Amino acid sequence: MAVRKVSQKVKTIDNSEEKIVFLVSSITRIFAPLNIPWHRRRETLTVLFCFLLPWLSVYLTIRFLRADRWYIFGSFLFYLIWMAMIRTYPTKGGYRKQWFRRLFLWKWFVDFFPIRLHKTCDLPADRSYIFGYHPHGIISVGGVGNFASEATGFENLFPDINLRLLVLNSNFQIPFFELILMMLGICDASRESCNYILKQGKGNSILLVIGGPLESLDARPSSEYILTLKNRKGFIKMALENGANLVPVFSFGENDLFEQISNPRGSKLRSIQITLQKKMGYALPLFYGRGIFQYKFGILPRRHPIDTYVGESIEVPKLSKERITQEIIDEYHIKYIEALTRLFDTHKAKHNNANASLVFVDDPSR
């Protein structure tokens, strides 16, 4: 009996050592092993497909423009005319389809990381909200996974909140790709679009990535989250004009998906990136993640958990434009930063960020 107990202990120790060896080898491994479970391959292919969607849409556009048959070319030309002259949904609340947002494809997408949505309080559906998403990351993967689909259960956590994720208008200039955005309920981030949605009232809300494209230039794994928020106050004024409550949202892990080539503030590379952003409307961070069959370099994000916390809402009164002063805007801007910091400090230790901090910086283009 004694010998048997000793042998069992030795076996347990051996097993634990095997687990440690396996863990270390998985961390240092460069190429993907052949025995990866099917569900993980499926998730990787789904993320690859989603990341390539804009480029696949461009390819289809070129093919249709070069079509030999006149009726194919003519139909596509009519589609382009409709996009340019008739289409209004990007600024009129989108054309959201819940069946499309519930597709199994989006579940595979969020399971790759995985992406998880955490509710910290109830949000009554008798008013509108402006959700502020932080940080931007390279491409706001957590924002798309949580708020442009139902894969993480937003409709169950916040019933009757009709939320629209807002993105740059340039995304709606890509044929076919804009149809996918339309059915996901994604809209243009223009002031016209924001006001149209918020004026519908009763749960109709918007989600803005407050830091904008410039914040992506600071997106890299770090214990410091650099947020372009210090002089971003337009969303506060919009909230006051529409009487929309403010809701801070923070995603732990958003900045850990990609590495980025060093571009410190004041460097020549950062200056070029800011100049290009002013001219094109979007930033060009030089980033890299993992590949399809290897983990060292590629366009795909790394498998890293993204935990998104929706904070408590900040009550905002509805004021006429004449009554909105800079002092009032500054007051609610401070309240928003305090609420965001409180949300961050409350949950950071749960995600290996106990010593992490928020750094608020100015938008250098203003």
Side-chain angles (χ1 to χ4, degrees):
M1 290 293 291
V3 173
R4 187 173 298 172
K5 287 182 180 178
V6 171
S7 65
Q8 286 176 349
K9 287 182 180 179
V10 171
K11 190 175 290 186
T12 303
I13 292 171
D14 289 342
N15 288 340
S16 65
E17 287 178 350
E18 287 176 8
K19 289 179 182 177
I20 292 171
V21 170
F22 176 78
L23 179 62
V24 172
S25 64
S26 65
I27 292 172
T28 57
R29 182 182 287 122
I30 296 176
F31 293 97
L34 297 175
N35 60 343
I36 288 180
W38 161 241
H39 71 91
R40 288 175 67 88
R41 294 186 185 277
R42 180 183 65 197
E43 291 160 7
T44 302
L45 288 174
T46 302
V47 171
L48 175 65
F49 173 72
C50 291
F51 270 65
L52 291 179
L53 266 177
W55 303 105
L56 291 173
S57 300
V58 171
Y59 172 75
L60 282 176
T61 299
I62 295 171
R63 291 298 300 247
F64 273 93
L65 286 174
R66 298 181 62 184
D68 295 331
R69 292 176 173 80
W70 65 268
Y71 53 86
I72 295 178
F73 176 81
S75 300
F76 184 66
L77 189 61
F78 179 78
Y79 169 47
L80 294 180
I81 293 172
W82 171 80
M83 278 182 60
M85 304 180 65
I86 303 173
R87 181 191 65 176
T88 60
Y89 64 79
T91 58
K92 300 297 182 184
Y95 199 66
R96 172 173 165 162
K97 295 295 181 184
Q98 283 301 96
W99 66 266
F100 190 73
R101 289 166 57 93
R102 295 176 185 138
L103 285 179
F104 56 84
L105 184 74
W106 312 125
K107 180 62 176 170
W108 295 347
F109 177 86
V110 302
D111 284 347
F112 172 86
F113 301 93
I115 301 173
R116 296 179 287 251
L117 183 62
H118 304 273
K119 174 182 177 179
T120 64
C121 65
D122 291 328
L123 295 178
D126 60 349
R127 67 204 71 178
S128 296
Y129 299 91
I130 296 179
F131 291 69
Y133 185 84
H134 310 272
H136 184 286
I138 295 297
I139 49 175
S140 301
V141 171
V144 174
N146 284 308
F147 305 109
S149 78
E150 300 300 343
T152 57
F154 181 86
E155 63 181 344
N156 297 320
L157 292 173
F158 303 99
D160 301 320
I161 300 296
N162 193 357
L163 183 64
R164 302 296 203 272
L165 170 62
L166 305 187
V167 300
L168 291 174
N169 179 264
S170 56
N171 290 285
F172 293 97
Q173 307 311 313
I174 305 174
F176 304 114
F177 183 60
E178 56 95 23
L179 295 175
I180 295 172
L181 300 183
M182 169 189 75
M183 290 191 288
L184 289 173
I186 297 174
C187 297
D188 178 15
S190 66
R191 178 171 286 273
E192 176 191 357
S193 175
C194 293
N195 287 329
Y196 178 87
I197 296 168
L198 294 174
K199 288 185 187 305
Q200 308 305 309
K202 293 187 177 180
N204 285 281
S205 306
I206 60 175
L207 182 137
L208 293 167
V209 185
I210 305 294
L214 274 177
E215 194 173 276
S216 67
L217 300 178
D218 291 310
R220 54 174 49 85
S222 172
S223 60
E224 277 190 347
Y225 290 85
I226 301 175
L227 305 183
T228 306
L229 183 59
K230 206 171 180 181
N231 61 347
R232 288 276 172 99
K233 301 180 182 180
F235 71 104
I236 302 292
K237 186 177 181 181
M238 189 183 302
L240 290 164
E241 290 174 353
N242 292 278
N245 286 7
L246 296 165
V247 181
V249 179
F250 195 89
S251 281
F252 295 95
E254 184 70 65
N255 281 355
D256 298 306
L257 305 180
F258 297 95
E259 292 287 347
Q260 186 172 174
I261 293 175
S262 179
N263 60 340
R265 290 171 177 268
S267 66
K268 190 171 183 179
L269 175 57
R270 177 65 71 97
S271 300
I272 293 172
Q273 289 173 319
I274 292 174
T275 302
L276 291 173
Q277 192 275 331
K278 289 179 181 178
K279 292 183 178 180
M280 299 185 299
Y282 50 88
L284 293 173
L286 301 179
F287 66 93
Y288 61 93
R290 54 161 284 181
I292 304 171
F293 303 112
Q294 48 80 31
Y295 302 133
K296 203 71 176 175
F297 185 87
I299 63 168
L300 292 183
R302 295 194 174 99
R303 281 184 184 266
H304 189 287
I306 301 176
D307 285 275
T308 303
Y309 288 85
V310 178
E312 297 181 8
S313 70
I314 302 166
E315 199 81 27
V316 178
K318 184 175 183 178
L319 302 176
S320 62
K321 291 184 179 181
E322 296 75 22
R323 292 180 58 195
I324 299 175
T325 63
Q326 190 60 48
E327 289 75 19
I328 295 175
I329 293 174
D330 291 342
E331 175 189 346
Y332 281 93
H333 187 258
I334 291 171
K335 286 183 178 181
Y336 181 84
I337 289 179
E338 289 175 346
L340 175 61
T341 304
R342 190 162 54 248
L343 178 69
F344 176 80
D345 288 339
T346 301
H347 302 287
K348 65 182 182 180
K350 302 174 186 176
H351 307 289
N352 299 320
N353 277 264
N355 298 319
S357 60
L358 298 179
V359 179
F360 300 106
V361 298
D362 286 328
D363 179 347
S365 66
R366 297 189 177 188

